[in-house]
C-alpha cells in the first residue's frame, strides 16, 4: 500500500533509505552507492526538515506494517522533483520501484504539474537505463556532485548529476 509518510515514519524511513544506498546492506540490491560514496544518505534531522516543508511529500510503500519503499516528491514550479526513490535491498527487482514511479506520476497530475525531473549520479548507468525504460529522458543538463561531510566520495571517477525528465 502506498500512502503519505508522516513524522512518525521518520525513524523507519531513515533506516530504510540508508540501508538501500550505503554500507554493506545496500550491496544486496542493485541500486547501491556504496562503491561511490561513504557516510549516510540521509539523517533523521534532514528527514524531519524535509517532511515539514509543505512543498515536499514523502510517499511510503508499506507491506505487513513495514515500510519497504519510499520516494521524495518536491513541487518545483511546473515540475515535480523526484528523489531518493528507495526499495529495501532484499526486495529490489520485485516491481515496487515501478509502482512508486507510477504513484509519483499520479501525484504530479493531481498537482497539475507537466513533468517529473530527477538527478542521478552519472556513473550509475544501470539505474539511468532503468529510468529511461520507464520514459525518462536525459535533458543534457549536468551539475557537479556536492561534496560534504555526509556525502564522502570514494569513487576514482569524478561524479556529477545528470538530469532526467519525463513529460506527463
Amino acid at each position: 500500500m502506498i500512502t503519505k509518510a508522516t513524522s512518525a515514519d521518520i525513524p523507519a524511513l531513515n533506516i530504510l533509505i540508508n540501508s538501500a544506498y550505503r554500507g554493506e546492506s545496500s550491496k544486496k540490491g542493485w541500486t547501491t552507492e556504496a562503491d561511490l560514496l561513504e557516510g549516510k544518505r540521509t539523517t533523521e534531522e534532514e528527514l524531519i526538515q524535509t517532511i515539514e516543508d509543505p512543498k515536499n511529500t514523502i510517499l511510503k510503500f508499506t507491506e505487513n506494517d513495514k515500510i519497504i519503499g519510499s520516494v521524495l516528491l518536491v513541487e518545483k514550479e511546473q515540475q515535480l522533483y523526484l528523489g531518493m526513490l528507495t526499495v529495501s535491498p532484499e526486495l529490489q527487482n520485485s516491481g515496487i520501484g515501478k509502482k512508486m514511479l507510477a504513484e509519483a506520476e499520479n501525484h504530479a497530475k493531481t498537482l497539475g504539474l507537466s513533468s517529473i525531473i530527477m538527478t542521478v549520479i552519472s556513473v550509475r548507468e544501470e539505474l539511468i537505463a532503468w529510468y529511461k525504460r520507464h520514459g525518462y529522458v536525459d535533458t543534457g543538463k549536468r551539475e557537479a556532485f556536492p561534496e560534504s561531510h555526509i556525502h564522502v566520495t570514494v569513487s576514482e571517477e569524478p561524479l556529477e548529476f545528470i538530469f532526467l525528465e519525463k513529460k506527463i
Side-chain angles (χ1 to χ4, degrees), residues 38 47-48 94-95 108 113 117 124 140-142 147 149 153:
E38 288 181 342
L47 289 169
I48 289 167
S94 65
L113 302 176
I117 58 167
R124 300 191 65 204
K141 184 177 176 187
R142 302 291 185 266
E147 287 285 335
H149 67 284
T153 303

Side-chain angles (χ1 to χ4, degrees), residues 5-18 42-52 58 67:
T6 67
S7 56
D9 297 314
I10 287 175
L13 287 169
N14 187 51
I15 291 167
L16 171 69
I17 293 165
N18 283 305
T42 192
T43 63
E44 285 193 22
E45 293 77 19
E46 182 181 50
L47 289 169
I48 289 167
Q49 289 175 348
T50 299
I51 216 162
E52 288 177 348
I58 298 177
I67 301 173

Side-chain angles (χ1 to χ4, degrees), residues 116-131:
I116 297 177
I117 58 167
M118 71 177 73
T119 56
V120 181
I121 299 172
S122 56
V123 297
R124 300 191 65 204
E125 294 172 11
E126 193 176 354
L127 184 58
I128 292 166
W130 186 83
Y131 281 118

